[in-house]
Amino acid sequence: MADTAQIPHYDAIIIGAGISGMFQLIRLRELGMKVRVFEAGTGVGGTWYWNRYPGARFDSESWSYGYSFSPELLQEWDWSEHFAAQPETLRYLNFVADKFDLRRDIQFQSRVKSLIRDEPANDWEVTLESGEQARAPILITAVGPLSAPQMPNIPGIKDFKGESYHTGVWPHHAVDFAGKRVAVIGTGATGVQVIQEVAKTAGQLYVFQRTPNWCAPLKNSAIDAPTQTRLKADMPAILKQCLEHFSGFIHDSDPRGTFEVSADEREAFWEKLYDEPGFGIWLGNFRDSLADEKANDALSAFVAGKIRQRVKDPVLAEKLIPIDHGFGTRRVPMETRYYEVYNQPNVQLIDARDAPIECITAAGIKTSGGEFPLDIIVYATGFDAVTGALDRIEVRGDHGQLLKQQWANGPKTFLGLQAEGFTNLFTLVGPHNAATFCNIPRCIEVNVEFVTALIKHMRERGYTRCGPSEEAVEAWTQHVLEGSKKLLLTKVRSWFMGMNTNIEGKQVPKFLLYAGGLPQYRARCAEVAQHDYEGMLMS
Ligand code: NA7
């Protein structure tokens, strides 16, 4: 490494100014540390900065999503809807950045190219795409689990003469769909949000669906003044409840088994959940819904019935009903009149399984069944999930080893926060971390508080290095993989399983989440801290 004395030096460097990076900055400042945050965007907000596509909004109840660390902030901010749209969330995160004067430590338009450990100097050297460099002994990645947008591997994408956009890097200018011929490729949580919005104005909307997903009604509404007052008063109880629930939401599974109740009771319960706002039907269902095949089949049959009721054309309805996976074994897209969109004359579903997309041409999309002339193509094709954002950076550890290579056969971490041989690197919301299957701010705060307390512990005792032992990594990885086996979702192709048909080497399932739930994760983190960070070697 060249003349390092010329390179700006900090106590810690954080990569990313989304929800986790912003909160980590606040906490490290409180320790009196000199911190630099590098952020690729021109503003704060991470996910909510990049995903500004039409229809983008929460699936978490807004009032369960905000930061909890500041009672003042909780009282000051009023959410206007139970499930806020992206512009409001971005406004909220900017409000936080202003309130805590965060921008003075954040360097925007600074995409990181490499993170190289200089072990003898006990520093991480950060190099930006611009060539600019910075160093710090502590490096915290706050790069997000769904932040590496992935284009499909369809030939001819560059040939298209119309407008085209990936949802995850949506432009800052308005895109006008009125009267246009529009294609949306992808029917995941993002595609579903885009489709129901674009269908309102497009002249003709073609939805290219390869795999139907099980969607459920969001039931969003405005928050009226009395509800606002009640929510503010209930905030401590709501936040406590979230921390005690499996995935950090206000919803938690029902203690009853699917077949422990009568058929009538079961049906009535599902009707109630289907009619209620939010993820209740997914995360607040019978305790065996996502683990027992028969229970899951029965629930899937109930939801299929709903789709048949809502889509007028019976042949089309069948095309929208998943046949290769059960309800909730992939991320459930939340919708507002999504199925009714297919009753509109300006919307056509193209089954990309029957007639696969062959290529993109200058004029539109060509499938094995025909050609579709288009003005706009929207790629709602998802992300290189969880490990993707780290894979896109050259991350080299103590002995020059590549993190991507070390994780080639699946991630190996301690608590989803540290990898062996990557001293002083902390991966907020990393793979095998509870935050990957969570109402994310609730888990982010758990991550950040743990890392902050650990750094404080190191500073108080004069430790300058921290990394997990081989045994701790092995034990955590086994615990994560063992725990995943009970869930049906491990048998299904999805981003949960690190599978992406558009990326070479990502066709083999590698479980990326943590299926033990937030309470168990918090308990384990607390236990590790109480035992002087057992499993983490400090010197
Ligand atoms: P997802 O859930 O990964 O969905 C991507 C969609 O794009 C999905 O329907 C894919 O079909 C489809 N896709 C991807 N590549 C292709 C090609 N080559 N041809 C046709 N269709 C394709 O991403 P989202 O952005 O919707 O959601 C990601 C998460 O962000 C979401 O779970 C929320 O937590 C927020 P496939 O299913 O692979 O057949």
Side-chain angles (χ1 to χ4, degrees):
M1 291 180 192
D3 186 6
T4 55
Q6 305 301 316
I7 299 174
H9 196 269
Y10 302 92
D11 294 331
I13 289 174
I14 299 169
I15 314 299
I19 297 176
S20 52
M22 287 166 66
F23 183 40
Q24 187 67 75
L25 170 61
I26 292 171
R27 283 295 189 241
L28 293 189
R29 270 187 189 168
E30 288 166 0
L31 296 185
M33 294 171 73
K34 187 180 160 201
V35 185
R36 191 69 166 165
V37 182
F38 292 110
E39 163 57 50
T42 57
V44 298
T47 288
W48 301 105
Y49 170 89
W50 295 102
N51 288 268
R52 41 182 90 214
Y53 59 83
R57 69 169 64 244
F58 281 155
D59 293 327
S60 304
E61 284 72 8
S62 312
W63 32 270
S64 76
Y65 192 95
Y67 288 113
S68 76
F69 69 90
S70 161
E72 197 181 279
L73 174 63
L74 281 167
Q75 291 305 316
E76 274 173 7
W77 183 262
D78 288 342
W79 294 103
S80 69
E81 292 178 280
H82 285 277
F83 300 89
Q86 175 271 338
E88 185 169 349
T89 309
L90 189 58
R91 272 200 304 280
Y92 167 73
L93 293 168
N94 275 286
F95 177 80
V96 175
D98 289 339
K99 182 174 169 67
F100 296 94
D101 188 20
L102 299 185
R103 288 190 189 80
R104 66 183 152 90
D105 290 323
I106 305 174
Q107 186 174 320
F108 294 104
Q109 291 179 280
S110 299
R111 189 173 285 282
V112 172
K113 187 167 152 243
S114 66
L115 302 169
I116 312 282
R117 171 100 179 132
D118 177 354
E119 176 53 25
N122 190 29
D123 266 338
W124 279 92
E125 186 166 274
V126 178
T127 304
L128 306 182
E129 279 185 352
S130 64
E132 192 183 332
Q133 292 188 308
R135 293 169 72 99
I138 290 180
L139 176 67
I140 300 173
T141 56
V143 292
L146 294 157
S147 53
Q150 184 62 47
M151 286 294 281
N153 53 1
I154 304 169
I157 286 174
K158 289 204 171 76
D159 298 340
F160 183 57
K161 295 278 185 266
E163 299 167 56
S164 53
Y165 308 99
H166 188 287
T167 50
V169 276
W170 199 262
H172 288 222
H173 63 78
V175 177
D176 183 13
F177 294 97
K180 304 263 176 69
R181 298 163 302 174
V182 184
V184 175
I185 302 179
T187 51
T190 303
V192 166
Q193 289 188 331
V194 175
I195 290 160
Q196 62 201 22
E197 199 56 35
V198 173
K200 290 177 185 166
T201 57
Q204 184 66 38
L205 170 62
Y206 301 100
V207 175
F208 287 81
Q209 171 191 269
R210 189 167 61 182
T211 313
N213 281 302
W214 295 101
C215 311
L218 179 66
K219 301 271 173 180
N220 183 32
S221 60
I223 299 176
D224 58 25
T227 309
Q228 194 75 260
T229 309
R230 180 179 54 75
L231 286 169
K232 292 271 165 84
D234 289 352
M235 206 36 84
I238 291 168
L239 293 166
K240 181 169 176 288
Q241 200 181 21
C242 289
L243 285 179
E244 288 165 358
H245 288 174
F246 185 85
S247 45
F249 287 92
I250 57 151
H251 311 278
D252 205 14
S253 64
D254 190 281
R256 296 169 299 169
T258 302
F259 301 110
E260 287 167 14
V261 301
S262 71
D264 284 352
E265 243 180 293
R266 195 158 53 237
E267 194 80 6
F269 183 52
W270 284 338
E271 284 290 351
K272 176 176 155 290
L273 291 176
Y274 197 79
D275 208 35
E276 277 176 1
F279 275 143
I281 186 111
W282 187 25
L283 304 173
N285 219 305
F286 293 116
R287 66 160 200 275
D288 51 1
S289 303
L290 304 176
D292 178 86
E293 221 151 315
K294 282 207 169 70
N296 187 259
D297 286 349
L299 172 60
S300 301
F302 169 83
V303 181
K306 290 289 178 195
I307 299 171
R308 289 189 184 106
Q309 281 168 16
R310 293 174 60 185
V311 179
K312 283 187 191 146
D313 175 345
V315 177
L316 195 53
E318 292 313 310
K319 284 187 186 299
L320 289 161
I321 297 173
I323 48 171
D324 62 352
H325 67 281
F327 181 86
T329 59
R330 292 175 124 201
R331 173 24 162 117
V332 176
M334 300 307 283
E335 47 88 19
T336 305
R337 299 186 57 73
Y338 173 66
Y339 289 109
E340 285 74 11
V341 153
Y342 295 98
N343 300 331
Q344 290 178 206
N346 67 331
V347 179
Q348 190 181 339
L349 182 79
I350 312 297
D351 191 331
R353 269 179 316 195
D354 287 358
I357 299 173
E358 285 182 348
C359 63
I360 312 285
T361 66
I365 295 180
K366 186 172 179 300
T367 72
S368 59
E371 285 199 49
F372 299 86
L374 298 165
D375 301 306
I376 304 176
I377 301 178
V378 176
Y379 294 97
T381 49
F383 301 90
D384 184 356
V386 187
T387 48
L390 287 171
D391 283 356
R392 290 180 187 186
I393 300 170
E394 180 188 353
V395 186
R396 290 193 183 273
D398 302 351
H399 310 293
Q401 76 277 28
L402 262 180
L403 185 64
K404 185 179 174 177
Q405 212 157 15
Q406 187 156 315
W407 286 353
N409 294 321
K412 284 179 167 248
T413 74
F414 185 49
L415 302 175
L417 284 169
Q418 280 215 287
E420 196 201 346
F422 290 78
T423 303
N424 292 353
L425 168 64
F426 301 95
T427 54
L428 301 176
V429 198
H432 292 177
N433 185 313
T436 50
F437 192 74
C438 195
N439 181 18
I440 203 158
R442 299 286 65 81
C443 286
I444 280 173
E445 287 184 336
V446 171
N447 270 196
V448 169
E449 298 292 16
F450 179 85
V451 170
T452 307
L454 184 151
I455 292 171
K456 184 165 179 278
H457 174 95
M458 286 172 70
R459 287 163 69 88
E460 283 168 358
R461 286 162 183 76
Y463 294 132
T464 56
R465 285 175 164 83
C466 171
S469 70
E470 195 184 334
E471 300 76 52
V473 168
E474 201 49 46
W476 180 253
T477 306
Q478 281 317 311
H479 164 70
V480 171
L481 299 181
E482 253 333 285
S484 74
K485 284 184 188 155
K486 60 180 188 278
L487 291 177
L488 296 171
L489 63 82
T490 54
K491 299 174 181 63
V492 175
R493 178 177 65 81
S494 77
W495 68 258
F496 294 169
M497 300 304 296
M499 299 172 84
N500 193 314
T501 59
N502 300 309
I503 306 169
E504 223 188 294
K506 296 220 166 173
Q507 272 78 51
V508 181
K510 293 177 197 105
F511 186 61
L512 297 181
L513 315 182
Y514 174 66
L518 177 56
Q520 195 180 163
Y521 182 77
R522 284 174 61 219
R524 183 72 187 114
C525 287
E527 189 184 27
V528 168
Q530 272 155 21
H531 291 91
D532 275 347
Y533 296 94
E534 190 180 37
M536 292 170 142
L537 308 173
M538 297 194 191
S539 58

